[in-house]
Every structure is written in C-alpha cells, then in structure tokens.
Amino acid sequence: MVHEPPAAAAGPSPDAFAPVMATGIVSVAAVDHQYHVIALILGVLAAAVFALLTMTVSAHVRRVPAAFGRQLRDPDVALRSFTFVAACGVLAARLGEGQAPLVWSLGGAALVVWSSLVPLAIIDMWSRPTGELRDHAHGAWLLAPVGTQSLAISAAHLAHGAVARPLLLLALAWWMLGAVGYLVVTWLIVWRAVATPFVPEQVTPDSWILMGALAIATLTGDRIIAAGPATSGLDWLFTLARPATLALWITASAWIPLLLYAQMWRAGRCAASLHYDRMWWAAVFPLGMYSTATSGLAVELRIPALGAISLAFFWFAMTTWLLVALGLLHEQWHEGSSRPRTGS
C-alpha cells in the first residue's frame, strides 16, 4: 500500500471517528433498555467529540489538501475514512424522533462524504492486484459497508409523508449495496486467512466488524420494516425485508463465538494484545450495534428472549467502552506527564 506522506501522517487517523461510532451506538443501546442517564451522558459526549473531530479534520484538510488527496489513493485510508459517514448515521439514530432537521443535516453531510469516498475507494481497489488487496484486507475495510448501511437507516428513519416511497427505495438500494460491499471485503479477508499462514497478529480488534457490519445490516432491515406503515404499494419490499433481516441476525450471531475464540487465542499467544490501542474502539461499536439490532428484532418478532440477549450485550458493550475509555485517558495522561517541561 502507498505510504502516507509525512504531512498527512501527522494529521488525524482515517478512522478518527471510531470513538464517536462506539460511544453513539452504546448510547442508542442504553435508550433501548431505558437507561436514560447513561444514554444522555454518552450521547452528549459523542456529539461533543464529533464536533471536535470534525473541526480538527477540516482544518487538517485545508492545511495540506494535496497530501490528504495522496493519502486517499491508498485503499486502506479511503475505506477507513467511512467512519465519518457511519458516525453521522449513529448520531442521527441517537437523535430519534423530533429532531428531523438535525437528522437531515447529518444525513446530508454523510451523503456528500459517502459520494466522494465511494468512487475513490473503487478506483483505489480496482487499480491494485487482487493478491495485494487480499494480503492487506482487514476488518476496518468493512467500515465502507457500515457507512453505507448507516445511510440506509437514516433514509428509512426520514421516510414519511410525500417522500416516504423514494426514501424507502433509496434505503433498500443502500441496504443491498452495503451487503455487496460486505461480501467483497469478507471474501478478501477469508481468502487471506486460508491462502496464507494464519498468525495471531491477524486477529485485531477491528476483526469484530465482521459481526458488526451484519448487525447494522440487521438494524437497517428492521428500520425499513418499521417504516412500512408510512407508505403503500411496497408490499414486496417488506416481504423481502423480514426473512433477510432474520438471516442477517443469525449470521451475525454465528460470528460471535468464532471471533471470541480467535480473540482469546490471540491473547493467549500475546498478552500485550489486550493493552489499550485506538483500534479497540472498532470492537466496541459491533457489540453495541448487536445489542441495538437484537433489541429491534425482539420487538419486531415479539420474542422476549431476544430482549434478554440484547440487554446482556449492552452491558458487554458498556463494560468494553469503559475499559477502552480508561485506556485512552491513561495514555493521554502518560503522554502529558512524559513531555519535557521548559522553565519559565
């Protein structure tokens, strides 16, 4: 892959918005289970971090636009940059009813960035040999399908009145496009695992997005079904959505024991892998998303047992979020205390 130019490397990470995704979705899961104080604290924190990161990234792009453009020629950078799109979608989902202007604004910003990143990512990947893509593919590349699904969720949420039908059809298109993107990237990851010696270093926190991308696709299906009463003449859409949503949830659930075993195997081989790393934010998001998707499915299918599973994963996600947040604070404190102090 293309190495980052020095000026670009000094800027924010391409997946800088991962903490917003993680914090926002745990806040959504807290709302699902009536933990309103937790939801409020995490929601405010996610919005504040989103605003700060948006200003920081915008300033960096204005300062070194050429270097930033060169950076986006790397498929790894282009695909990880979809965290902004996903972060907008998560915040829009957190706002919920009664905040349509903000949801439209976040959806518009996400659409602009998504429309810019998709052709870049396709060109970047098309210009590389398939073997090279296979050797570098990892879980964070699934952030592109995740961002696409978040647009579908926003469209389904806003589908009412005169715009209900076109928005639901747009949501369906993004839902299917996200599924295609998931299959492509997952194929590369599985191919790499089969074709090359599998080593512990390949099991990274962002591997959990293999499950999280299916969980958000499940939530997308649930939101499309929930928007059904807002329109007519789309019975075929809901006939398709119900079994597809259940199949997506079952597949996401099947990934959990595999990923848990792989993470324990990696930890057994290298205990240091459990130390704080910014990539751990990518593991929090799938856990929170699985909780929210399962909660939606429990309501749709009227199965109380799914609600209990959703609650368990909420606390799993909340605990992981706390551990990662404490790791971040410890790292920042250590970096601050290790800086040389100059005399007055």
Side-chain angles (χ1 to χ4, degrees), residues 116-209:
S116 302
L117 288 175
V118 165
L120 283 172
I122 293 175
I123 292 171
D124 289 345
M125 296 185 72
W126 193 265
S127 63
R128 305 300 174 98
T130 307
E132 182 181 347
L133 293 174
R134 176 202 66 190
D135 294 341
H136 291 84
H138 59 106
W141 286 20
L142 289 165
L143 289 166
V146 167
T148 304
Q149 296 289 356
S150 72
L151 281 175
I153 291 174
S154 296
H157 176 76
L158 292 168
H160 57 82
V163 296
R165 185 183 179 87
L167 280 178
L168 277 176
L169 291 174
L170 193 56
L172 176 64
W174 276 323
W175 189 28
M176 297 179 67
L177 185 59
V180 171
Y182 178 87
L183 290 175
V184 171
V185 176
T186 302
W187 171 68
L188 289 171
I189 293 172
V190 173
W191 183 20
R192 178 187 180 188
V194 172
T196 61
F198 192 74
V199 295
E201 287 72 22
Q202 288 181 237
V203 182
T204 53
D206 62 7
S207 299
W208 284 90
I209 307 179

Side-chain angles (χ1 to χ4, degrees), residues 215-235:
I216 192 174
T218 301
L219 185 62
T220 302
D222 178 72
R223 292 295 184 264
I224 289 175
I225 294 170
T231 187
S232 59
L234 292 178
D235 295 341

